[in-house]
Amino acid sequence: MCGIAGLVFRQTDHLNWGSDAFNQLHHRGPDDHGWLTYGDSAERGRQPLAGSSRLLLLHRRLSILDLSEAGWQPMQSPDGRLHIAFNGEIYNFLELRQELKQLGHRFASDSDTEVLLAAWAQWGTDCLNRLVGMFAFALLDVQGQTLHLVRDFFGIKPLYYAAWNDGLAFASEIPPLLELPQVSRRGNPERLFSYLRFGLTDNGGETLFADIRQLPAAHYLRVDLKTPQSAQPKRYWSLTLQAPLELSFQQAAEQVRETFLENVRLHLRSDVPVGAALSGGIDSSAIVMAMRHLEPDLELHTFSYIPEQADISEERWIDLVGGAAKAQVHKVQPTAQELVADLDHLVRVQGEPFGSTSIYAQHRVFGLARQAGIKVMLDGQGADELLAGYFPHYNPHRLVSLLKQGRLSKALAAARQMGDSEGLKKAARFFLPEALTRLARRLTGKEYLPEWLNEHWFEAQGANLTLEVGSRGSQAMREELLDTLTRTSVPMLLRYEDRNSMAHSIESRVPFLTPKLTQLLLNLPEEYLIAPDGTTKSVFRAAMRGIVPDAVLDRKDKIGFQTPEQRWLETLAPWVEAHLGDLGAVPAINPAPARAEWQAIRSGQKPFSPRVWRWINAAVWAKSFNLTW
């Protein structure tokens, strides 16, 4: 919805930084902007406010709810005690407003921001668990002399910060923070290792910049204005594994259907046009068809990426769903040459390296929506991690569950369903000691520290290269789902989604990711997600019968949102080789082994690996942001 930034510092004039931050966050809120300074009193306005102060609060507005002047921010409470800069949406704000009215609160706008202010005034931090929404906000309490920085349950909306001896700064994106003299451009070697070796980013509180942290999902930071540098994140909500719910499959399907439709209904609340990203898979199709089911008269627009490579195209499914939903279907087909032309911009948009070229395809989809005049988009992010939908990623974990439960006949049937030795190897590692796991990697040619990684450089940096894999118990698949939801997959995907959408001044909403639905799905029996016959997302397929076309629900050939990355890079071979010949900005990579591996891939001696893209992406990123190590 918006962009926010701010500083807590000694009595100093930071007008120049504030003006720069306004400019750098323009794309997140081109509709309006506001400025607040706090010294002896809080002063608000649209123009930079001169003079020294202890706190600076900035807001750029993307108007979605209550487009009037009444929704302007930073917003203050009627008594002048609380001031907020808010990025996101509170989808259940109408219900909360009614409850707060009964408690004596009065409202001057139709905005969810005003409801959030009243909820905080009434319940303090306890209000957070009453919210259904995505949010990152800064809330100043002049009476308590505190600033709270808060991030939503899953980290859908971003919030970065940096602290030094006598100050703290925060922003919706990383680049404004890099303009502060107290914040260096040093890289984070351990995070770089996780990215280069395993493709992992956005894990916990660290970033790939040594001096910049992100507020973890479901946390808040209580900042004392007198000692801002001492603030520590505090968790306010956790997604937890409980004993599997005792529901019949039909009961589970009914609860999933009801909760999902309620989520979509709430996520449709908007005073501007709403569209949807449509890949052709079950999740995005369910969102589009639910939108039509709930709003028969809605002018519905869908936006899709169509790859050039026919064997990974889902265009026929996109057309089928678009026709069934009576939607206006928009399509985009990016090329390898366009990727090269746009890469520098995309790297700046993302702020940190990203996992694959599919992020470029997503970027173009949001650009297509912008051209069509759509300001809000619904997307199926998180569904695969909730429903065990990445085939065959979760199948080995399901096999481990069955083995550890002693259900040998079902485990044997699951192993037959998997039908691949790689999956069985993945399952086996959960039964091996770490020393044997490392030996197995070497024997299969999957070195933990391959030759192209500069191990000596990491040692010189004092980096800890231990990867926490974690054990798995009798609910191994549900444990893996929790891990991908909170630690590995979803945090990365949400960052990609936010930056790509906001780069085009579009708000992207993800109706699968609410506490109620995630807690329900995560605690269903595993066989409700992957059926005994190997069908993935089994309970959700059942829940969507009668809403989503049967042909889509009966699909067994889900391709996934992917670009023809290998073909693109082979087409761009001279460009790839030029980048691999100039890896000086990333001393963590040994250039000669990297180039040799690329040549082995090109000649067919080795299979294609996404690490080739990571080498290039890391080099472009490091140069773009002038990183030091």
Side-chain angles (χ1 to χ4, degrees), residues 551-571:
V552 173
L553 295 176
D554 293 336
R555 285 188 63 184
K556 299 292 176 67
D557 63 338
K558 174 58 181 169
I559 296 167
F561 191 83
Q562 59 179 291
T563 50
E565 186 163 290
Q566 179 176 358
R567 181 178 294 182
W568 276 5
L569 294 184
E570 288 175 347
T571 300

Side-chain angles (χ1 to χ4, degrees), residues 192 195-196 199 201 208 339 342-360 495-496 565 569 575-576 579-580 583 585-586 589 610-625 627:
L192 181 63
Y195 170 70
L196 291 173
T201 61
L208 274 98
L339 168 67
D342 293 342
L343 183 58
D344 287 340
H345 172 67
L346 183 60
V347 167
R348 294 292 300 182
V349 163
Q350 285 295 323
E352 294 180 273
F354 45 93
S356 74
T357 53
S358 66
I359 308 311
Y360 177 60
R495 189 249 295 182
Y496 305 155
E565 186 163 290
L569 294 184
W575 177 82
V576 172
H579 278 284
L580 295 184
L583 291 173
V586 191
I589 302 174
R611 58 180 168 267
V612 176
W613 169 255
R614 297 200 291 267
W615 299 335
I616 296 169
N617 196 190
V620 175
W621 165 74
K623 285 186 175 181
S624 179
F625 287 94
L627 255 71

Side-chain angles (χ1 to χ4, degrees), residues 283-299:
D283 312 323
S284 62
S285 299
I287 289 173
V288 170
M289 297 308 303
M291 292 169 72
R292 175 56 70 214
H293 176 79
L294 294 165
E295 298 284 351
D297 298 324
L298 177 69
E299 182 180 323

Side-chain angles (χ1 to χ4, degrees), residues 182-235:
Q182 299 91 341
V183 179
S184 77
R185 292 176 178 261
R186 287 186 299 112
N188 183 331
E190 291 177 10
R191 290 299 184 188
L192 181 63
F193 172 77
S194 295
Y195 170 70
L196 291 173
R197 181 63 183 86
F198 302 105
L200 296 176
T201 61
D202 303 272
N203 181 358
E206 293 186 359
T207 71
L208 274 98
F209 294 88
D211 286 358
I212 297 176
R213 297 184 64 82
Q214 62 176 331
L215 186 62
H219 282 71
Y220 65 80
L221 200 68
R222 183 184 182 276
V223 181
D224 187 319
L225 298 188
K226 296 177 182 177
T227 56
Q229 71 279 3
S230 63
Q232 295 297 321
K234 182 176 180 180
R235 179 177 286 279

Side-chain angles (χ1 to χ4, degrees), residues 47-66:
Q47 301 305 317
L49 302 171
S52 62
S53 60
R54 286 185 289 154
L55 180 142
L56 175 66
L57 199 58
L58 308 175
H59 185 266
R60 294 225 59 127
R61 186 182 183 195
L62 182 67
S63 302
I64 302 296
L65 291 172
D66 190 346

